[in-house]
mmCIF file with all atom_site columns, all heavy atoms in Angstrom:
data_model
loop_
_atom_site.group_PDB
_atom_site.id
_atom_site.type_symbol
_atom_site.label_atom_id
_atom_site.label_alt_id
_atom_site.label_comp_id
_atom_site.label_asym_id
_atom_site.label_entity_id
_atom_site.label_seq_id
_atom_site.pdbx_PDB_ins_code
_atom_site.Cartn_x
_atom_site.Cartn_y
_atom_site.Cartn_z
_atom_site.occupancy
_atom_site.B_iso_or_equiv
_atom_site.pdbx_formal_charge
_atom_site.auth_seq_id
_atom_site.auth_comp_id
_atom_site.auth_asym_id
_atom_site.auth_atom_id
_atom_site.pdbx_PDB_model_num
ATOM 1  N N   . CYS A 1 191 ? -1.635 37.070 -1.171 1.00 98.00 ? 432 CYS A N   1
ATOM 2  C CA  . CYS A 1 191 ? -1.465 35.632 -0.939 1.00 98.00 ? 432 CYS A CA  1
ATOM 3  C C   . CYS A 1 191 ? -2.797 34.968 -0.595 1.00 98.00 ? 432 CYS A C   1
ATOM 4  O O   . CYS A 1 191 ? -3.055 33.832 -1.018 1.00 98.00 ? 432 CYS A O   1
ATOM 5  C CB  . CYS A 1 191 ? -0.443 35.407 0.174  1.00 98.00 ? 432 CYS A CB  1
ATOM 6  S SG  . CYS A 1 191 ? 1.236  35.914 -0.282 1.00 98.00 ? 432 CYS A SG  1
ATOM 7  N N   . ARG A 1 192 ? -3.645 35.676 0.136  1.00 98.00 ? 433 ARG A N   1
ATOM 8  C CA  . ARG A 1 192 ? -4.954 35.128 0.498  1.00 98.00 ? 433 ARG A CA  1
ATOM 9  C C   . ARG A 1 192 ? -5.787 34.849 -0.754 1.00 98.00 ? 433 ARG A C   1
ATOM 10 O O   . ARG A 1 192 ? -6.516 33.854 -0.828 1.00 98.00 ? 433 ARG A O   1
ATOM 11 C CB  . ARG A 1 192 ? -5.690 36.095 1.431  1.00 98.00 ? 433 ARG A CB  1
ATOM 12 C CG  . ARG A 1 192 ? -7.037 35.562 1.936  1.00 98.00 ? 433 ARG A CG  1
ATOM 13 C CD  . ARG A 1 192 ? -7.703 36.530 2.880  1.00 98.00 ? 433 ARG A CD  1
ATOM 14 N NE  . ARG A 1 192 ? -6.981 36.634 4.146  1.00 98.00 ? 433 ARG A NE  1
ATOM 15 C CZ  . ARG A 1 192 ? -6.259 37.679 4.529  1.00 98.00 ? 433 ARG A CZ  1
ATOM 16 N NH1 . ARG A 1 192 ? -6.156 38.736 3.727  1.00 98.00 ? 433 ARG A NH1 1
ATOM 17 N NH2 . ARG A 1 192 ? -5.636 37.694 5.688  1.00 98.00 ? 433 ARG A NH2 1
ATOM 18 N N   . PHE A 1 193 ? -5.695 35.704 -1.749 1.00 98.00 ? 434 PHE A N   1
ATOM 19 C CA  . PHE A 1 193 ? -6.418 35.518 -2.998 1.00 98.00 ? 434 PHE A CA  1
ATOM 20 C C   . PHE A 1 193 ? -6.111 34.153 -3.614 1.00 98.00 ? 434 PHE A C   1
ATOM 21 O O   . PHE A 1 193 ? -7.010 33.422 -4.044 1.00 98.00 ? 434 PHE A O   1
ATOM 22 C CB  . PHE A 1 193 ? -6.048 36.652 -3.967 1.00 98.00 ? 434 PHE A CB  1
ATOM 23 C CG  . PHE A 1 193 ? -6.593 36.498 -5.359 1.00 98.00 ? 434 PHE A CG  1
ATOM 24 C CD1 . PHE A 1 193 ? -7.863 36.955 -5.675 1.00 98.00 ? 434 PHE A CD1 1
ATOM 25 C CD2 . PHE A 1 193 ? -5.826 35.909 -6.368 1.00 98.00 ? 434 PHE A CD2 1
ATOM 26 C CE1 . PHE A 1 193 ? -8.368 36.824 -6.970 1.00 98.00 ? 434 PHE A CE1 1
ATOM 27 C CE2 . PHE A 1 193 ? -6.319 35.780 -7.656 1.00 98.00 ? 434 PHE A CE2 1
ATOM 28 C CZ  . PHE A 1 193 ? -7.602 36.237 -7.950 1.00 98.00 ? 434 PHE A CZ  1
ATOM 29 N N   . TRP A 1 194 ? -4.827 33.793 -3.660 1.00 98.00 ? 435 TRP A N   1
ATOM 30 C CA  . TRP A 1 194 ? -4.425 32.539 -4.276 1.00 98.00 ? 435 TRP A CA  1
ATOM 31 C C   . TRP A 1 194 ? -4.701 31.350 -3.363 1.00 98.00 ? 435 TRP A C   1
ATOM 32 O O   . TRP A 1 194 ? -5.026 30.254 -3.847 1.00 98.00 ? 435 TRP A O   1
ATOM 33 C CB  . TRP A 1 194 ? -2.950 32.606 -4.680 1.00 98.00 ? 435 TRP A CB  1
ATOM 34 C CG  . TRP A 1 194 ? -2.713 33.644 -5.739 1.00 98.00 ? 435 TRP A CG  1
ATOM 35 C CD1 . TRP A 1 194 ? -2.195 34.893 -5.571 1.00 98.00 ? 435 TRP A CD1 1
ATOM 36 C CD2 . TRP A 1 194 ? -3.036 33.538 -7.130 1.00 98.00 ? 435 TRP A CD2 1
ATOM 37 N NE1 . TRP A 1 194 ? -2.158 35.568 -6.754 1.00 98.00 ? 435 TRP A NE1 1
ATOM 38 C CE2 . TRP A 1 194 ? -2.663 34.764 -7.739 1.00 98.00 ? 435 TRP A CE2 1
ATOM 39 C CE3 . TRP A 1 194 ? -3.574 32.535 -7.921 1.00 98.00 ? 435 TRP A CE3 1
ATOM 40 C CZ2 . TRP A 1 194 ? -2.822 34.994 -9.101 1.00 98.00 ? 435 TRP A CZ2 1
ATOM 41 C CZ3 . TRP A 1 194 ? -3.744 32.766 -9.284 1.00 98.00 ? 435 TRP A CZ3 1
ATOM 42 C CH2 . TRP A 1 194 ? -3.371 33.984 -9.860 1.00 98.00 ? 435 TRP A CH2 1
ATOM 43 N N   . LEU A 1 195 ? -4.591 31.557 -2.062 1.00 98.00 ? 436 LEU A N   1
ATOM 44 C CA  . LEU A 1 195 ? -4.951 30.488 -1.130 1.00 98.00 ? 436 LEU A CA  1
ATOM 45 C C   . LEU A 1 195 ? -6.435 30.158 -1.242 1.00 98.00 ? 436 LEU A C   1
ATOM 46 O O   . LEU A 1 195 ? -6.830 28.988 -1.223 1.00 98.00 ? 436 LEU A O   1
ATOM 47 C CB  . LEU A 1 195 ? -4.591 30.887 0.297  1.00 98.00 ? 436 LEU A CB  1
ATOM 48 C CG  . LEU A 1 195 ? -3.095 30.973 0.626  1.00 98.00 ? 436 LEU A CG  1
ATOM 49 C CD1 . LEU A 1 195 ? -2.886 31.687 1.962  1.00 98.00 ? 436 LEU A CD1 1
ATOM 50 C CD2 . LEU A 1 195 ? -2.453 29.600 0.641  1.00 98.00 ? 436 LEU A CD2 1
ATOM 51 N N   . ASP A 1 196 ? -7.247 31.187 -1.371 1.00 98.00 ? 437 ASP A N   1
ATOM 52 C CA  . ASP A 1 196 ? -8.683 30.960 -1.548 1.00 98.00 ? 437 ASP A CA  1
ATOM 53 C C   . ASP A 1 196 ? -8.963 30.170 -2.828 1.00 98.00 ? 437 ASP A C   1
ATOM 54 O O   . ASP A 1 196 ? -9.929 29.392 -2.895 1.00 98.00 ? 437 ASP A O   1
ATOM 55 C CB  . ASP A 1 196 ? -9.436 32.295 -1.602 1.00 98.00 ? 437 ASP A CB  1
ATOM 56 C CG  . ASP A 1 196 ? -9.556 32.966 -0.236 1.00 98.00 ? 437 ASP A CG  1
ATOM 57 O OD1 . ASP A 1 196 ? -9.396 32.268 0.788  1.00 98.00 ? 437 ASP A OD1 1
ATOM 58 O OD2 . ASP A 1 196 ? -9.809 34.187 -0.202 1.00 98.00 ? 437 ASP A OD2 1
#
Side-chain angles (χ1 to χ4, degrees):
C432 293
R433 184 178 291 108
F434 173 86
W435 296 102
L436 291 167
D437 286 341

